[in-house]
Amino acid sequence: MRADLGERPRMTRTLLLAALLASALPVAAADTSLSTVAERSGFTKTGRYDEVISLCEAYALRYPDAVRCADFGTSPEGRPMKVLIVSPAGAFTPQAAKAKNLPVMLVQGGIHSGEIDGKDAGFLALREALDGAAAPGALARQVLLFVPVFNVDGHERFARWNRPNQRGPEEMGWRTTAQNYNLNRDYLKADSIEMQSMLKLVDAWDPLVYVDLHVTDGAKFEHDVSIQVEPVKSGDAALRKAGTALRDGVIQRLAAQGSLPLPYYPSFVQNDDPSSGFEDGVAPPRFSHGYFQLRNRLAMLVETHSWKDYPTRVRITRNTVVALMELVGAQGAAWRRETAAADQRATKLGGQPVALDYKAGPKTRTVAFRGYAYTRTPSEISGALMTRYDETTPQVWNIPMKDDVQPSLTVKAPRGGYLVPAAHAAWVAAKLDQHGVAYRRLDGALPKARVETFRADKAEFGAQSVEGHQRLTATGEWKPELRNVGAGALFVPIAQPKARLAMALLEPQAPDALAAWGEFNNAFERKEYMEDYVAEEVAREMLAADPKLKAAFEQKLKSDPAFAKDAQARLEFFYRRHSSWDDSYRLYPVLRIATVPR
């Protein structure tokens, strides 16, 4: 469905009536016990997905004035995707939350279903908060959407050793979906049914804060949790203050409870080598916490340490969720005002430089990191250097940290917006609808329109499949040109709150753009050719007819030895200057325009 200017995309009938009206599901004999398999086992086990379904219903029955259980989608294998809508104030629809000016927080577990701490910790934190034992009064000042398991099909690929780099529980789900999608690489491209369902939920409720609960991979050390938030180093500059306050508020609360939290993901620059140190950054928008800053909202990635046991990890995740309830309850109203102001600023980005990718610069500092004694010796198994940790001997590692994160790709936003030609309008419109990006169709043609075009000087296709795509890396720049734009094209205005999101999708060099994921690869493939013997004849005719061309060719032969030795390059020198050359080869189909078409 289309998202016209000033109009929010219409939700599906199922989502609106089932999920967002959120009436409690009628269950005559639901289990009223709200304890989990994890609790009853002393946090050595975790339950199967049928427990999520029954607990969702049981919470709604136990707390009828504060909780609704709803479906927000159906997985490829036919399982209901459950969300608990929690609001002691009675705001069980997006409209009610907006009318009551309540901030919305969405907390999600099990995007990687082997990393299942969030499910068990979320149910525990929610029960304690509803009973007044944790974060007293905080839920009354917000709406909490709790998705216990996002990757529901992966959750049911249940076995021991699904997470070989993790301690507990005894059995757990699988990282990817039934279609082998990694959902935490799918936020912007939104290939999977699960992500498309999540984006509908997000677009309906517009959460102020989105929380993604994970478990790390990697080395062994004492630190027990990583808390990363954006915008802190990316996105709207003024909104970064709120992002920093959210991150630091959670870290301070966790530290006071005895945790050793980190504000960055502890992954070594060189795999398996602690001495190489760490490099901070900003995740691209395929990741949850890299995506929401494009919407001018706050997102947090929580990563408990995989080598802590399951009871410890669930406790820390529970503490994190409670801290978030407290912070959103106390600061959510002010942060909502700040995100609304960021929305307004985004509508004025036309003609301004916008950062689309980031990287840490070469500057380093030394951090005191709480690790363990270790050795690096040759392995008799692999023959490579192997790191072996002694968890009985804590050790402070003084190691380098690169955290001077700066934009690595900055593009000036178009003054008017983007034009998507009619040939691509249907599928691009569907993708824009998934993200709630506004656009409109042009009823008439734009003859000889003054636009900007992007012609790739170089286009490199990925050597292997990534998430079912052949990625593209294109180099080039936008240049002014007159082009005929046919009726039925899409106009995507830059003057909208989701301007950064539109740019992330449509700028061809952005890291997770449609073009980067290979959706426009046909435009960068050569489809027509001139036979060599024809090119020889054409070249002789052109040389005879154009002395300037002849001089340019001879100069090229003298100045470029590689060209002089390359027979095909010499023939193509003439083919590219001939009227038969394909003018659309390596021409990115999407255009930019400085004005707003009528």
Side-chain angles (χ1 to χ4, degrees):
M1 288 170 284
R2 187 161 63 98
D4 289 321
L5 288 174
E7 178 185 35
R8 294 181 63 84
R10 297 186 295 275
M11 300 295 104
T12 64
R13 183 175 300 175
T14 298
L15 183 68
L16 280 173
L17 297 181
L20 304 182
L21 292 180
S23 55
L25 300 178
V27 178
D31 180 8
T32 57
S33 171
L34 301 187
S35 69
T36 61
V37 167
E39 290 177 86
R40 296 193 296 273
S41 70
F43 297 98
T44 61
K45 303 177 185 291
T46 191
R48 301 296 292 266
Y49 191 64
D50 57 1
E51 178 186 54
V52 171
I53 296 173
S54 63
L55 280 175
C56 185
E57 296 162 352
Y59 269 75
L61 289 173
R62 175 74 68 86
Y63 307 102
D65 296 330
V67 179
R68 297 291 184 269
C69 173
D71 295 356
F72 69 95
T74 302
S75 76
E77 291 186 336
R79 295 182 177 89
M81 300 174 69
K82 291 292 187 180
V83 58
L84 284 78
I85 303 169
V86 183
S87 175
F92 298 121
T93 67
Q95 296 79 10
K98 186 175 181 179
K100 293 176 181 288
N101 292 315
L102 290 173
V104 177
M105 177 168 66
L106 195 159
V107 176
Q108 154 192 296
I111 188 172
H112 295 154
S113 287
E115 306 167 25
I116 204 57
D117 307 16
K119 175 189 68 174
D120 292 321
F123 276 123
L124 178 59
L126 180 56
R127 188 182 73 223
E128 291 178 346
L130 288 166
D131 289 341
L139 288 179
R141 298 188 294 275
Q142 64 190 286
V143 176
L144 173 63
L145 305 178
F146 176 45
V147 177
V149 179
F150 184 8
N151 176 15
V152 299
D153 291 342
H155 187 281
E156 290 307 279
R157 186 176 168 180
F158 207 74
R160 296 176 182 269
W161 289 102
N162 276 351
R163 288 278 294 165
N165 310 309
Q166 176 178 297
R167 287 188 175 129
E170 291 179 0
E171 297 177 288
M172 69 286 288
W174 189 252
R175 182 179 183 84
T176 57
T177 71
Q179 296 173 323
N180 210 33
Y181 284 114
N182 183 338
L183 292 179
N184 204 28
R185 305 295 185 272
D186 200 34
Y187 277 86
L188 198 61
K189 63 183 177 65
D191 287 332
S192 66
I193 292 171
E194 293 92 338
M195 186 58 69
Q196 292 167 17
S197 299
M198 178 60 75
L199 291 176
K200 288 175 183 176
L201 184 69
V202 165
D203 203 56
W205 283 92
D206 189 20
L208 168 73
V209 178
Y210 187 97
V211 183
D212 192 8
L213 303 173
H214 285 250
V215 182
T216 67
D217 289 301
K220 295 180 179 180
F221 42 74
E222 286 195 292
H223 294 278
D224 50 19
V225 64
S226 164
I227 303 293
Q228 294 172 269
V229 172
E230 290 299 336
V232 168
K233 302 177 189 298
S234 67
D236 182 88
L239 192 57
R240 297 178 191 184
K241 182 178 179 181
T244 302
L246 176 67
R247 182 197 67 186
D248 292 353
V250 169
I251 286 175
Q252 288 165 8
R253 283 164 171 78
L254 291 177
Q257 293 168 314
S259 279
L260 296 172
L262 294 166
Y264 55 87
Y265 189 85
S267 180
F268 299 135
V269 172
Q270 296 178 17
N271 185 49
D272 201 38
D273 184 0
S275 67
S276 67
F278 303 115
E279 181 176 326
D280 202 2
V282 173
R286 71 192 69 170
F287 296 92
S288 60
H289 62 307
Y291 173 77
F292 280 88
Q293 55 91 3
L294 299 174
R295 301 178 74 112
N296 307 311
R297 300 298 181 263
L298 311 178
M300 175 179 288
L301 176 69
V302 179
E303 296 265 6
T304 53
H305 185 216
S306 61
W307 292 110
K308 301 301 180 286
D309 62 27
Y310 196 53
T312 299
R313 299 202 317 270
V314 171
R315 172 179 55 79
I316 293 167
T317 305
R318 173 264 176 205
N319 291 346
T320 302
V321 174
V322 170
L324 285 160
M325 291 178 186
E326 294 172 346
L327 286 162
V328 173
Q331 302 295 327
W335 290 343
R336 278 189 78 227
R337 291 191 292 272
E338 291 181 34
T339 58
D343 284 348
Q344 288 300 308
R345 288 190 291 271
T347 67
K348 300 174 183 177
L349 283 175
Q352 302 301 312
V354 176
L356 296 176
D357 203 4
Y358 299 81
K359 186 173 178 58
K363 182 180 177 181
T364 63
R365 63 186 180 93
T366 300
V367 294
F369 188 86
R370 291 180 58 166
Y372 296 114
Y374 68 92
T375 59
R376 280 178 57 78
T377 56
S379 166
E380 66 277 13
I381 303 297
S382 68
L385 277 179
M386 193 60 57
T387 304
R388 295 170 175 83
Y389 298 95
D390 178 3
E391 293 180 80
T392 66
T393 309
Q395 184 182 81
V396 175
W397 302 339
N398 293 301
I399 53 179
M401 162 64 85
K402 294 167 65 175
D403 58 359
D404 181 23
V405 178
Q406 299 294 334
S408 59
L409 174 65
T410 300
V411 177
K412 186 175 288 188
R415 293 189 177 277
Y418 296 92
L419 292 169
V420 181
H424 295 277
W427 74 265
V428 173
K431 191 59 61 178
L432 296 174
D433 285 342
Q434 289 171 357
H435 296 282
V437 174
Y439 63 88
R440 63 180 169 88
R441 294 183 187 273
L442 301 182
D443 295 328
L446 299 176
K448 295 183 179 180
R450 295 182 180 276
V451 297
E452 290 179 295
T453 60
F454 182 94
R455 294 177 184 274
D457 302 320
K458 188 176 182 181
E460 294 183 355
F461 298 104
Q464 63 184 26
S465 175
V466 180
E467 288 283 295
H469 293 257
Q470 184 183 30
R471 284 181 57 85
L472 173 76
T473 301
T475 57
E477 59 184 13
W478 293 99
K479 294 180 180 178
E481 192 172 330
L482 293 177
R483 303 285 296 184
N484 294 321
V485 179
L490 305 181
F491 171 62
V492 184
I494 201 65
Q496 60 174 302
K498 295 186 178 76
R500 287 185 178 85
L501 184 48
M503 292 184 70
L505 285 164
L506 297 176
E507 282 294 330
Q509 294 178 293
D512 285 324
L514 298 176
W517 281 106
E519 300 290 359
F520 290 101
N521 276 2
N522 259 343
F524 300 90
E525 297 172 8
R526 188 168 166 184
K527 305 291 188 176
E528 188 56 273
Y529 301 86
M530 180 182 285
E531 297 288 355
D532 289 356
Y533 69 89
V534 176
E536 287 275 356
E537 295 173 3
V538 166
R540 295 180 192 283
E541 292 172 0
M542 294 174 70
L543 287 170
D546 190 342
K548 290 184 178 180
L549 178 66
K550 184 175 185 293
F553 178 62
E554 292 173 348
Q555 178 60 35
K556 181 79 169 171
L557 291 172
K558 293 177 182 178
S559 62
D560 190 339
F563 173 78
K565 295 176 182 178
D566 189 335
Q568 288 300 313
R570 289 169 65 155
L571 291 176
E572 192 166 295
F573 177 91
F574 298 97
Y575 184 22
R576 284 179 174 270
R577 290 159 174 79
H578 193 262
S579 60
S580 63
W581 178 254
D582 180 7
D583 183 61
S584 64
Y585 175 53
R586 289 186 177 175
L587 174 65
Y588 177 49
V590 177
L591 310 172
R592 295 172 23 138
I593 190 167
T595 58
V596 177
R598 294 184 179 180

